[in-house]
Amino acid sequence: MSKALPIALALLLAAPALADEWRYENASVPIAYFDTGAAQLQFACRGGDLAMGFWVRKPEAHVAQAGSISVAITPDAAETSTVSTTSGTSFAQEIPLIHSDGSSVIVRGPVARRWARIAQAARDTIRVAYVRQTASGALDVFDANVFGAKGSKSAIGKVLERCG
């Protein structure tokens, strides 16, 4: 019995962040979010308008130095897949970056609403990354983060209910 506790604790520490689930806060600004520790993806109702935020605490150098960047979201991406224009990925182009305790982007309006629906429909994972297109048309991918989809349908749905 005394050996079981350390083993159980070790297994809990080894559990991936995907075991977590989306959270919902019903405050003056309702928000649904998933935080991995390295990054956070959130949907919030600000002033009656839906906003999506993606925040990376310690961004790669290119992101930390950029003034704007594109963002990509892929539902249920295969673990070994890469972000591409043919992988069911949706893109938001040239979004201004906010640099404060990391780097983040905020997307509002129709794109945020479309991405909320994508996140709600994901079965297992939601991959979000900063991207830029090279001169050759290839994509450079930065700070790709994978968020679990468990609870996203309900938590994001509550935010959408408040955003009319």
Side-chain angles (χ1 to χ4, degrees):
M1 182 75 127
S2 62
K3 290 182 182 182
L5 183 58
I7 291 171
L9 289 174
L11 288 173
L12 281 174
L13 291 173
L18 297 180
D20 287 341
E21 118 173 33
W22 278 75
R23 291 172 173 53
Y24 173 74
E25 292 181 5
N26 189 18
S28 60
V29 175
I31 182 172
Y33 68 94
F34 193 104
D35 194 323
T36 66
Q40 186 179 95
L41 178 61
Q42 60 179 251
F43 293 90
C45 186
R46 299 189 186 271
D49 191 24
L50 182 68
M52 186 279 314
F54 174 54
W55 173 44
V56 177
R57 287 176 176 82
K58 294 181 181 177
E60 293 181 39
H62 174 78
V63 173
Q65 297 166 1
S68 65
I69 199 160
S70 297
V71 187
I73 185 171
T74 310
D76 299 315
E79 192 172 319
T80 58
S81 69
T82 59
V83 176
S84 74
T85 57
T86 60
S87 65
T89 299
S90 180
F91 296 89
Q93 306 296 322
E94 292 305 312
I95 306 300
L97 273 162
I98 302 163
H99 300 289
S100 176
D101 196 25
S103 293
S104 61
V105 294
I106 297 174
V107 177
R108 295 184 183 273
V111 174
R113 195 166 297 285
R114 186 173 77 235
W115 282 29
R117 300 289 183 218
I118 290 170
Q120 280 188 295
R123 292 179 313 276
D124 298 312
T125 62
I126 304 159
R127 180 177 58 205
V128 182
Y130 295 126
V131 297
R132 77 169 173 199
Q133 192 166 20
T134 65
S136 68
L139 288 178
D140 285 336
V141 178
F142 306 97
D143 296 314
N145 282 270
V146 176
F147 302 92
K150 183 179 177 185
S152 65
K153 183 174 181 119
S154 173
I156 296 168
K158 290 176 184 176
V159 173
L160 289 171
E161 284 174 15
R162 296 272 301 267
C163 279

